[in-house]
Amino acid sequence: MALKSLPLSDVYALLEPGPVVLLTTADKTGRANVMTMSWHMMMEFTPPLVGCVVSEGNFSFKALRATKECVIAIPARRLAAKVVKVGNCSGRDFPDKSGADKFRAVGFTPLPAKDVHAPLVAEAFANLECRVVDTRMVARYNMFVLEVVRAWRDPAQKNPKTIHHQGWGRFAVDGRIITLKSEKA
């Protein structure tokens, strides 16, 4: 078997770390925003720490850096078209100072969070309220380390399937679940 060279610009599609999620923020004036994000990773179990990359060109970057809090909302497959729509527009495109225009434009409902000012996304099957706990990699890599301070799950959404970005508009959907013996439960 002969291996074929792969363009370096395609490497990210091989290593996408997890499901496509929504990141919500609220700036110091209370204006909410939502963006699509797929560059994130679990870093620790207890407390749950998540590393995420938010481009400084994104409207949410400034709010996340200033307020040091956000929500990671995890959408199921049925929301894929809306998730892509969020990713193809910017909060700058909406004049409403509350940020509700972008949520409305894509058909998402912002809900108040308990411990952060950023809104939850009602349609997501899970929402993670987060606070930034480490910014040392922001200047160099736009990478924030978040601590999940509260987690929510919609019990009505049984066995949701997540979407995983494979690059250039292609997504994989979670498949069959297998269980293998593990030393830890």
Side-chain angles (χ1 to χ4, degrees):
M1 168 174 66
L3 297 178
K4 182 181 173 191
S5 179
L6 180 70
L8 295 179
S9 61
D10 290 346
V11 169
Y12 83 97
L14 299 173
L15 293 175
E16 280 299 327
V20 176
V21 299
L22 299 164
L23 180 84
T24 72
T25 54
D27 67 16
K28 295 220 181 228
T29 70
R31 182 177 180 196
N33 192 42
V34 58
M35 65 169 269
T36 299
M37 180 175 71
S38 60
W39 293 357
H40 54 82
M41 64 183 165
M42 285 300 304
M43 297 178 71
E44 186 59 73
F45 294 105
T46 307
L49 297 179
V50 178
C52 69
V53 174
V54 179
S55 172
E56 65 184 310
N58 289 342
F59 191 69
S60 296
F61 178 89
K62 188 175 180 182
L64 184 57
R65 192 169 212 180
T67 65
K68 295 191 173 19
E69 56 183 39
C70 64
V71 168
I72 296 174
I74 307 170
R77 157 64 183 101
R78 66 183 179 80
L79 298 175
K82 291 180 180 184
V83 169
V84 171
K85 189 173 181 180
V86 166
N88 287 327
C89 65
S90 169
R92 290 182 190 91
D93 301 332
F94 298 92
D96 180 355
K97 295 296 182 204
S98 74
D101 276 358
K102 186 171 180 184
F103 282 84
R104 257 192 313 275
V106 297
F108 285 141
T109 308
L111 296 175
K114 185 164 174 86
D115 294 325
V116 301
H117 292 97
L120 307 174
V121 177
E123 294 78 10
F125 74 84
N127 282 272
L128 311 175
E129 296 184 37
C130 301
R131 290 208 176 95
V132 175
V133 293
D134 192 334
T135 59
R136 288 176 289 179
M137 293 180 281
V138 171
R140 189 163 187 170
Y141 300 108
N142 296 333
M143 184 172 169
F144 295 84
V145 178
L146 312 172
E147 180 179 344
V148 179
V149 296
R150 187 172 298 273
W152 304 93
R153 173 118 188 183
D154 179 355
Q157 296 190 48
K158 308 271 190 237
N159 303 314
K161 299 290 187 188
T162 55
I163 58 173
H164 301 260
H165 191 232
Q166 293 188 328
W168 312 114
R170 290 176 41 105
F171 296 85
V173 178
D174 276 347
R176 185 172 59 106
I177 305 286
I178 63 170
T179 303
L180 303 173
K181 183 178 178 179
S182 174
E183 293 297 318
K184 296 195 177 203

